[in-house]
């Protein structure tokens, strides 16, 4: 995507690359023209980089930027682009205006007076570009832009759109990301850990050497058969005429596993490379399975006849390159042997020039050319179809030939044979048409439909060997069998663990059902033939593997597995509707409702479930035998949510700290509590208050020795259900620390460390935790002496002419106050006057909370309260700027009246200021002070 300010980068690169000095208008104009001509070339730098990368395969393994160099790695090769340290500007122009030179930089003009020389002519200033900086008469111009700091590499990991995007000052190019690590491993081995490309007779059912065929290693007579034909040989088989020169017989093929599973090996250039870096003179041809899902592993295999090529696996076959004319016989022996011709070279498979396997591949050719005088008669035991087939020597028939409406390659397992020609015997031509048996146009493959299962068909087989000898034609009978069906793995399904009652799993089945053939769709016949299962004996999926509420119990229950079309409209899959509706299925919902998950031993992470689709074989109501249509594997990623996905903080938080207050205090039993109800639910539709069930795991403070210690009461290690239960704290820990800290709540209790947890759905592995800081407040902490205006707003206290700060008028519910002073606590207000300091029975009340509790406030300077809702004022002071000492009139019931202290004379002058301080003490011995400032405004 082009950006209009790309030229900033380009012009700077030009400046950097073309430093020079200009001393005349002519020279300057020429250079500007030169810069203009080159700007397009520099503009394409990043796109040129992309072109080079695309030429190397286009898939990028890594992008990095360091020390001014952008590096892009692909296919093991690295392409670089040097980013200039500094760039210039978008546009520079020069113009003459009388005797002045007008220099315009990005639209900003500056005028330079041009002095006259000795001859009276105007002199052009010296203009120089050096290291990307423009100089005029030796003075640098501020034209530099730091590009290096504006280089950004953005990696996208979105599935299906995995890219690297490089941005340089707004210019950007995007590269398709290669898989981080293409891993290739050898599946077939026919000699220990090695694989021999050799005589096709060594393609056997175990993919390792077996006694009936010997071993391909150490015996040159077991190698690839070849000869040098002196003239062309006519042949009407699949490979056509044999040409004069080198002719090679049937060769084994290797099966390899490629990971990541969706890396397409057919798009890469494959070579076999020796440890010395020499490339074998062969072409490696990768062939993947006919279906993208895993098939069962086949038996005998040669060429590309593996019947079961798993998803992500490939069969590798060879085609020999042309050798030097006249030296073919020498080179087919020597090219694959070591320098002394005493052993075979071991090769590794290279992908786009990068070695991707161990050195386990051997190309083994015979030492001498074949010189057969005749071709053997076809032997049914050597015939392979799709890598399958078992020879029944008693009945002389090749059995278990796959029938699944797919073409399967036919191969003859004998390295002396060059090609095979197969035709359906005349007596079976009509039956073949009826039962769907067909040979491909090129004559290499055969296919059969389901109707051919269990039936025999005769094939006429003719061979030609590498020497051009043609065999007699022999009729070989084959018998088709049920083919292993595809096993498809879908894209992963994500299940977010939830506290909601609906804990169902929704599965996107893609085209699993819509791709069924019409005959298979009808023959499924009943929901009983659609079976869900847990794979790999996984006991930690959301449903148990067996026992009560097992996953298998969902099968056949229309209420436990619901099916939907692509628009999430429910589909009726009852027996009388399934035939017409089954191909509409797009989604399945595995239903589970309840507070707890079905399996209390469930775990997060990846799990594998499957759905198996069977069809009824016979149309008879008396025959319920079935066969497999397909099996589908479904990875399920179970993801436990983060704490913030379920909970949010309450209003009791401030600056990231939860504030809570001592409550439930009982001095007689030495009990004290604090609420830890710090969170509330993110959603209201989870069927209840989740936060009620949060568990307090730890509540600690730093003690005097600097160690973490619990503040919970003795015997209390945790607190369940903190939403409804307060945490009991240690009475002795609190009171001892408060007393030692001069009756002030210690800082250690203002910085408590809390850990809480919540277990989702009754599954211990679905426990989430959160750590946070707790600020512990005392019982009466936050109490204020507050003055209210006639409109109920807080304001500075006003003293009247009678030296009284009027007592406020408080509403009956203690939530509003006007026209005077009140004690405020937790949003509630209480009346206050001098009588509160008189002691004895003079008690002022104040609502403590919305649970009906009320504080009783009175004066006592010698004792500590004995219960949580009694508060004493154990100290007070008053001062006024016009008095040397002040006191409060304890007999005044209209408000707080400031009077001269005993032995002090004088008055409070109008306009003077002062303050009143009350110190409260609660049952825990905590002192809380508050000051009321006032000003006398007599009217």
């Amino acid at each position: 995507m082009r950006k209009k300010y790309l030229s900033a980068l380009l012009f700077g690169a030009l400046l950097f690359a073309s430093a020079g000095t200009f001393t005349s208008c002519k020279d300057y104009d020429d250079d500007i023209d030169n810069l203009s001509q080159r700007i397009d070339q520099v503009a394409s730098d990043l796109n040129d980089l992309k072109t080079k990368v695309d030429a190397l395969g286009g898939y990028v393994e890594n992008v990095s930027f360091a020390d001014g160099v952008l590096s892009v790695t692909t296919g093991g090769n690295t392409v670089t682009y040097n980013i200039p340290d500094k760039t210039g500007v978008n546009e520079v122009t020069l113009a003459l205006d009388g005797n002045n030179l007008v220099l315009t930089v990005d639209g900003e003009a500056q005028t330079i007076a041009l002095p006259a020389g000795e001859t009276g002519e105007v002199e052009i200033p010296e203009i120089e570009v050096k290291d990307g900086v423009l100089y005029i008469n030796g003075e640098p111009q501020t034209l530099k832009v730091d590009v290096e700091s504006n280089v950004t590499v953005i990696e996208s990991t979105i599935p299906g759109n995995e890219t690297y995007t490089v941005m340089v000052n707004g210019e950007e190019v995007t590269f398709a990301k290669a898989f981080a690590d293409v891993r290739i491993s050898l599946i077939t081995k026919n000699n220990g850990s090695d694989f021999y490309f050799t005589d096709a007779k060594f393609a056997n059912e175990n993919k390792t050497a077996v006694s009936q065929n010997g071993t391909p290693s150490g015996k040159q007579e077991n190698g690839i058969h070849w000869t040098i034909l002196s003239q062309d040989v006519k042949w009407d088989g699949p490979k056509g005429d044999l040409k004069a020169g080198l002719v090679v017989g049937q060769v084994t093929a290797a099966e390899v596993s490629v990971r990541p599973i969706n890396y397409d090996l057919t798009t890469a250039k494959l070579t076999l490379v020796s440890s010395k870096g020499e490339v074998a003179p062969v072409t490696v041809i990768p062939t993947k399975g006919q279906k993208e899902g895993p098939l069962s592993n086949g038996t005998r295999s040669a060429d590309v006849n593996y019947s079961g090529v798993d998803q992500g696996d490939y069969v590798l076959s060879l085609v020999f390159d042309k050798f030097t004319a006249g030296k073919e016989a020498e080179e087919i022996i020597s090219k694959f042997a070591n320098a002394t011709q005493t052993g075979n070279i071991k090769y590794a498979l290279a992908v786009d020039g990068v070695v991707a396997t161990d050195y386990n591949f051997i190309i083994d050719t015979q030492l001498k050319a074949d010189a057969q005088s005749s071709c053997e008669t076809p032997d049914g035991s050597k015939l392979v179809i799709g890598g399958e087939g078992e020879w029944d020597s008693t009945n002389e028939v090749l059995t278990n030939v796959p029938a699944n409406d797919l073409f399967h390659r036919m191969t003859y397992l004998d390295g002396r044979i060059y090609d095979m020609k197969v035709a359906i015997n005349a007596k079976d031509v009509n039956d073949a048409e009826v039962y769907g048996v067909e040979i491909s146009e090129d004559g290499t493959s055969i296919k059969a439909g389901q109707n051919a299962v269990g039936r025999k068909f005769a094939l006429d087989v003719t061979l030609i060997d590498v020497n051009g000898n043609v065999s007699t034609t022999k009729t070989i009978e084959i018998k088709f069998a049920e083919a292993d069906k595809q096993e498809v793995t879908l894209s992963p399904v994500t299940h977010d663990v939830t506290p909601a009652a609906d804990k169902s799993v929704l599965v996107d089945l893609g085209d699993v059902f819509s791709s069924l053939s019409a005959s298979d769709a009808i023959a499924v016949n009943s929901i009983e033939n659609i079976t869900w299962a847990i794979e790999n004996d996984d006991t930690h999926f959301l449903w148990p593997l067996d026992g009560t509420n097992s996953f298998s119990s969902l099968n056949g229950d229309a209420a436990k597995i619901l099916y939907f079309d692509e628009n999430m409209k429910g589909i009726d899959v009852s027996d009388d509707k399934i035939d017409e509706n089954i191909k509409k299925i797009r989604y399945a919902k595995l239903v589970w409702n309840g507070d707890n998950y079905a399996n209390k031993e469930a775990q997060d992470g990846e799990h594998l479930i499957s759905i198996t689709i069977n069809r009824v074989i016979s149309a008879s109501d008396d025959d319920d035998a079935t066969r497999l249509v397909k099996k589908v594997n479904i990875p399920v990623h179970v993801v436990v949510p983060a704490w913030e996905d379920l909970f949010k903080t309450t209003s009791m938080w401030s600056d990231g700290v939860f504030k809570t207050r001592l409550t439930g205090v009982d001095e007689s039993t030495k009990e004290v509590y604090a609420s830890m109800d710090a969170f509330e639910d993110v959603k209201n539709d989870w069927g209840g208050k989740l936060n009620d069930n949060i568990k307090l795991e730890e509540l600690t403070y730093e003690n005097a020795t600097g160690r973490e210690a619990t503040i919970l009461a003795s015997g209390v290690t945790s607190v369940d259900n903190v939403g409804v239960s307060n945490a009991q704290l240690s009475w002795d820990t609190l009171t001892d620390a408060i007393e030692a800290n001069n009756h002030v709540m210690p800082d250690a209790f203002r910085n408590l460390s809390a850990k809480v947890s919540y277990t989702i759905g009754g599954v211990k592995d679905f426990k989430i935790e959160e750590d946070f800081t707790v600020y512990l407040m005392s019982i009466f902490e936050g109490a204020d002496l507050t003055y209210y205006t006639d409109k109920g707003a807080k304001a500075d206290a006003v003293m009247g002419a009678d030296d009284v700060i009027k007592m406020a008028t408080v509403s009956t519910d203690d939530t509003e106050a006007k026209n005077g002073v009140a004690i405020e606590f937790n949003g509630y207000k209480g009346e206050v006057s001098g009588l509160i300091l008189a002691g004895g029975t003079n008690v002022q009340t104040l609502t403590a909370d919305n649970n009906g509790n009320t504080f009783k406030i009175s004066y006592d300077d010698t004792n500590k309260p004995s219960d949580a809702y009694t508060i004493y004022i154990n100290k007070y002071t008053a001062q006024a700027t016009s008095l040397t000492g002040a006191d409060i009139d304890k007999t005044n019931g209209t408000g707080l009246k400031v009077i001269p202290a005993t032995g002090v004379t004088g008055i409070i002058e109008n306009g003077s200021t002062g303050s009143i301080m009350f110190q409260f003490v609660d049952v825990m011995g905590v002192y809380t002070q508050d000051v009321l400032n006032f000003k006398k405004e007599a009217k």
Side-chain angles (χ1 to χ4, degrees), residues 798-807 892 894-898:
V798 176
M799 175 182 285
D802 55 359
D803 296 341
V804 175
I805 304 169
K806 289 197 305 181
M807 180 174 64
N892 189 293
T894 63
L896 297 176
K897 183 176 182 179
V898 179

Side-chain angles (χ1 to χ4, degrees), residues 661-817:
R661 188 182 300 277
L662 295 176
T663 188
V665 181
D666 189 332
E667 187 178 32
S668 63
T669 59
K670 300 295 189 283
E671 292 182 19
V672 58
Y673 296 83
S675 170
M676 292 301 297
D677 190 12
F679 300 93
E680 57 189 11
D681 300 356
V682 168
K683 294 182 180 180
N684 295 321
D685 55 357
W686 281 328
K689 295 185 66 178
L690 304 183
N691 62 299
D692 285 353
N693 297 315
I694 292 175
K695 179 179 180 179
L696 177 67
E697 302 274 3
E698 297 175 6
L699 188 61
T700 62
Y701 71 103
E702 184 178 305
N703 64 18
T705 64
R707 297 184 178 183
E708 288 292 306
T710 182
I711 198 174
L712 296 176
S714 177
V716 178
T717 57
S718 62
V719 180
D720 294 328
N721 309 322
V722 296
V724 293
S725 301
N726 293 328
Q728 185 177 358
L729 309 182
S730 169
W731 178 276
D732 291 340
T733 298
L734 285 167
T735 55
D736 290 350
I738 290 168
E739 184 174 359
N741 198 45
N742 296 319
H743 297 278
V744 175
M745 186 71 79
D747 289 341
F749 299 159
R750 309 294 202 188
N751 193 34
L752 299 175
S753 296
K755 174 181 285 187
V756 292
S757 67
Y758 178 78
T759 300
I760 306 172
V763 178
K764 60 184 178 182
D765 199 57
F766 295 168
K767 183 170 79 170
I768 56 177
E769 296 179 335
E770 180 76 350
D771 296 319
F772 58 99
T773 300
V774 177
Y775 182 101
L776 185 61
M777 296 186 290
S778 63
I779 296 172
F780 206 55
E781 184 172 337
D784 286 328
L785 290 172
T786 306
Y787 186 85
Y788 297 90
T789 67
D790 58 351
K791 295 183 179 180
K794 294 183 179 180
D796 292 336
V798 176
M799 175 182 285
D802 55 359
D803 296 341
V804 175
I805 304 169
K806 289 197 305 181
M807 180 174 64
T809 301
V810 178
S811 62
T812 55
D813 60 1
D814 287 355
T815 60
E816 294 183 2

Side-chain angles (χ1 to χ4, degrees), residues 15 55 188 250 316 330 339 423 464 476 490 508 519 558 584 588 667 726 772 776 791 804 820 903:
L15 292 178
T188 52
Q250 302 287 310
L316 306 180
E330 173 189 341
I464 187 170
I476 298 175
L490 299 182
D508 184 348
S519 60
K584 300 176 184 177
E667 187 178 32
N726 293 328
F772 58 99
L776 185 61
K791 295 183 179 180
V804 175

Side-chain angles (χ1 to χ4, degrees), residues 864-881:
K864 183 183 72 170
S866 59
D867 66 85
Y869 294 103
T870 297
I871 300 295
Y872 289 158
I873 300 173
N874 67 352
K875 179 181 179 181
Y876 72 92
T877 61
Q879 64 89 20
T881 55

Side-chain angles (χ1 to χ4, degrees), residues 433-447:
E433 183 175 350
V434 170
Y435 293 107
V437 178
E438 177 185 352
I439 292 179
S440 62
E441 290 185 6
D442 63 6
T444 63
S445 305
I446 189 171
K447 78 171 181 177

